[in-house]
Amino acid sequence: MTITEPADSTACTPVDGVRRVLLAVHTGRADIIELARSSAQRLSRAGLVVRLLEDEAVDLGIEGAEVVPFGPGAAEGAEVVIVMGGDGTFLRAAELARATDAALTGVNLGKVGFLAETEPETVEETLTAIEQCQYSVEERLTLEVDVFDAAGERVGGTWALNEASIEKLERSRVLDVVLAIDGRPLTSFGCDGVLAATPTGSTAYAFSAGGPVVWPDVEAILVVPTNAHALFARPLVTSPQSVLTVGVPADGTRARVSADGRRTVEIPVGGRVDVRRSDRPVRIARVQPRSFGDRLVAKFGLPVRGFRAARGHAGPGHELTRGRNVLLREDTADREQAGGADGQA
């Protein structure tokens, strides 16, 4: 279950009396850099200390900002990490925020931006909410990933906010896998890979692979095979307390684990991967009252008027007006009306 807490508690009352905000910015676009600069100036005027990542600070050129190297301590002491970019920038910043108690909030400057809380036109409202501590914090479920060799020894691990993808290393080969839930064998098949996704990540890779959209306040783990050569390879939704095991036979294809498309661990020959709920969530700062359903409608352009009410209105899912001939690409309404008039004359 998502835990929501008011931000006017300990989050806005730092021990040293200084409120800090870490900016994580996609510096590849001039408009994003300009937005980051103006936002930093406003936050500074409000008395907040702005912190930048070392590899972004030169491009941003924000005077008076703290500069820290990218790493687990980058968000230490920061109240909020403000992400300006797309989902890739958000996932990068999540590595920093998760290592501390900092909350994440994003300004979507990418293509889809499901993870971001704010669109560019509402940046001022977001900054006001942060300055005045008028936001809430949600704890999003994350995944802990452990990789074992054929002898059962742990050889590596990682974590994921969106998904952990067990995938083949050789493009031309089929990956054979054996799935087990809570230590009990479930099924086996050949595939391109298997996704273990969180509700937060259900709208990302898992969605593209045919998985369900799951509201982020639902606590569950999704299991989504990708291009499985099997009659029974449907997406599964398991308990958040479940442990998903993906075994790779010793005579099968080499594989690896990719977490959020950012961190990879190679799976030894004959090894396995265990995926479970992590004890450490990612904290998301919410400044907008808009529901997840509203976000789905906006991001996918879903038709919400109903097909009868939508007649005569242009919009997503209803691009053709009444009387439009799809094949001829012409409006037949006037011609029908003219034909009726000629018949009556």
Side-chain angles (χ1 to χ4, degrees):
M1 179 179 64
T2 299
I3 301 172
T4 305
E5 61 183 37
D8 56 359
S9 58
T10 57
C12 290
T13 54
V15 177
D16 60 1
V18 178
R19 297 180 63 198
R20 289 180 173 83
V21 172
L22 172 63
L23 290 184
V25 183
H26 186 297
T27 57
R29 283 171 40 188
D31 59 329
I32 301 180
I33 291 177
E34 186 59 35
L35 180 61
R37 288 172 177 169
S38 61
S39 299
Q41 291 173 357
R42 172 171 171 172
L43 291 169
S44 296
R45 288 196 300 268
L48 281 75
V49 174
V50 175
R51 182 181 292 176
L52 306 177
L53 296 172
E54 193 172 56
D55 57 349
E56 301 171 357
V58 174
D59 291 330
L60 292 172
I62 298 174
E63 296 183 3
E66 293 182 351
V67 179
V68 297
F70 184 94
E76 192 68 45
E79 174 186 324
V80 177
V81 178
I82 302 178
V83 183
M84 295 187 174
D87 283 347
T89 308
F90 193 97
L91 290 170
R92 181 173 186 261
E95 297 181 14
L96 308 178
R98 183 174 180 266
T100 69
D101 288 330
L104 273 170
T105 190
V107 180
N108 176 36
L109 295 159
K111 294 181 179 179
V112 180
F114 256 107
L115 295 172
E117 167 72 11
T118 304
E119 297 299 324
E121 58 270 19
T122 57
V123 170
E124 293 299 318
E125 297 176 19
T126 298
L127 296 176
T128 298
I130 292 173
E131 292 167 0
Q132 300 179 1
C133 294
Q134 295 178 344
Y135 62 88
S136 60
V137 177
E138 294 180 355
E139 292 188 348
R140 295 290 182 87
L141 182 150
T142 63
L143 301 176
E144 196 72 32
V145 182
D146 295 307
V147 179
F148 300 86
D149 62 17
E153 294 293 326
R154 186 180 184 276
V155 295
T158 184
W159 71 279
L161 172 61
N162 269 358
E163 76 282 316
S165 171
I166 295 89
E167 54 196 36
K168 62 183 182 180
L169 286 177
E170 300 175 61
R171 185 177 180 86
S172 61
R173 300 282 302 276
V174 172
L175 177 64
D176 293 324
V177 297
V178 178
L179 298 187
I181 304 293
D182 297 328
R184 304 300 301 171
L186 183 65
T187 186
S188 62
F189 45 73
C191 59
D192 283 347
V194 177
L195 302 175
T198 67
T200 299
S202 69
T203 52
Y205 191 175
F207 172 78
S208 298
V213 173
V214 180
W215 263 236
D217 59 347
V218 175
E219 293 194 335
I221 298 175
L222 285 68
V223 183
V224 184
T226 59
N227 296 327
H229 190 70
L231 290 176
F232 180 75
R234 300 291 187 181
L236 305 174
V237 180
T238 71
S239 162
Q241 281 73 46
S242 293
V243 178
L244 166 66
T245 298
V246 181
V248 180
D251 59 350
T253 304
R254 299 295 299 276
R256 69 176 184 180
V257 179
S258 175
D260 293 335
R262 291 191 50 81
R263 301 167 295 277
T264 61
V265 181
E266 190 165 335
I267 304 170
V269 175
R272 77 173 199 272
V273 179
D274 284 357
V275 182
R276 69 186 75 225
R277 177 182 187 164
S278 172
D279 293 333
R280 181 179 286 274
V282 167
R283 305 173 78 241
I284 305 293
R286 296 293 309 276
V287 299
Q288 302 287 344
R290 187 172 60 170
S291 70
F292 179 71
D294 292 337
R295 188 172 301 174
L296 279 180
V297 170
K299 297 298 182 181
F300 285 128
L302 301 179
V304 294
R305 292 185 299 269
F307 74 95
R308 290 188 175 87
R311 289 180 177 176
H313 298 279
H318 299 286
E319 291 82 0
L320 299 175
T321 58
R322 185 179 182 181
R324 179 76 65 179
N325 187 314
V326 180
L327 298 179
L328 299 179
R329 301 182 183 275
E330 62 183 9
D331 197 343
T332 60
D334 295 337
R335 296 173 67 181
E336 291 175 357
Q337 184 175 3
D342 291 341
Q344 292 175 358

